[in-house]
Amino acid sequence: MFAINHAAAALLVKRRYPDVSLVPILIAVQGMELLWVALNYVGVERTTTESAVRYVGDIHLTYMPFSHSVVTMLGAATLAWIIAALAGRPRLGAAIGLGMASHLVLDLVTHDPDIALAPLLHGPAYGTGLYSRLPSAAFLLELGFGVFCWWAYRGG
């Protein structure tokens, strides 16, 4: 899923937790992406592209078992919730944890099967492959999701 729709998901979390500032929620929904960029930058994870990038299917998330594994995402979400709860801010923790977990769900809907179960676990990878199989449908799904988030947040 594109970054704009991860940010749109933050609107749903904000709607559920109106007392929590939007800033930590926005950081939470993009947290895995920020980790992915950092790990690509230092060479731990890899992204490749076709010689000509014409659409998102020409970008290949070749190796990203740390930033985008199911265990990493759910573990980070749970850890954030526990830390905030222990600090006396359980609603903040729940909002951050939910925002982080939403990243996993949204990526599973559109990614190629490139999401590992856990770092260093060589096994099946998850994702519907929607963008590589049906890019127009994936685009419409993303557009609809973004509009839905705006509507649910009561955007103007």
Side-chain angles (χ1 to χ4, degrees):
M1 182 129 324
F2 287 110
I4 189 66
N5 278 323
H6 287 301
L11 296 176
L12 296 179
V13 176
K14 176 65 174 166
R15 181 91 173 124
R16 173 69 179 86
Y17 297 96
D19 54 314
V20 175
S21 170
L22 188 57
V23 173
I25 299 170
L26 282 168
I27 293 168
V29 299
Q30 299 292 354
M32 295 299 127
E33 235 52 330
L34 297 170
L35 180 60
W36 171 72
V37 168
L39 291 175
N40 265 266
Y41 184 74
V42 299
V44 173
E45 293 188 346
R46 287 182 301 286
T47 303
T48 60
T49 63
E50 297 295 325
S51 56
V53 177
R54 297 174 310 280
Y55 78 112
V56 71
D58 291 335
I59 301 169
H60 308 288
L61 306 172
T62 309
Y63 183 73
M64 54 177 199
F66 299 99
S67 66
H68 280 71
S69 78
V70 173
V71 169
T72 298
M73 291 180 168
L74 294 180
T78 303
L79 185 61
W81 173 73
I82 290 170
I83 290 170
L86 290 174
R89 305 279 314 271
R91 289 182 58 80
L92 172 64
I96 290 172
L98 186 59
M100 294 176 105
S102 77
H103 194 110
L104 171 64
V105 172
L106 294 173
D107 278 0
L108 286 170
V109 171
T110 57
H111 267 233
D112 279 337
D114 55 15
I115 299 173
L117 180 60
L120 307 176
L121 182 64
H122 302 290
Y126 303 96
T128 64
L130 191 59
Y131 261 107
S132 58
R133 291 184 302 110
L134 300 166
S136 295
F139 175 77
L140 290 174
L141 176 73
E142 287 220 34
L143 180 63
F145 179 75
V147 169
F148 171 77
C149 291
W150 165 83
W151 172 81
Y153 185 66
R154 309 286 191 254

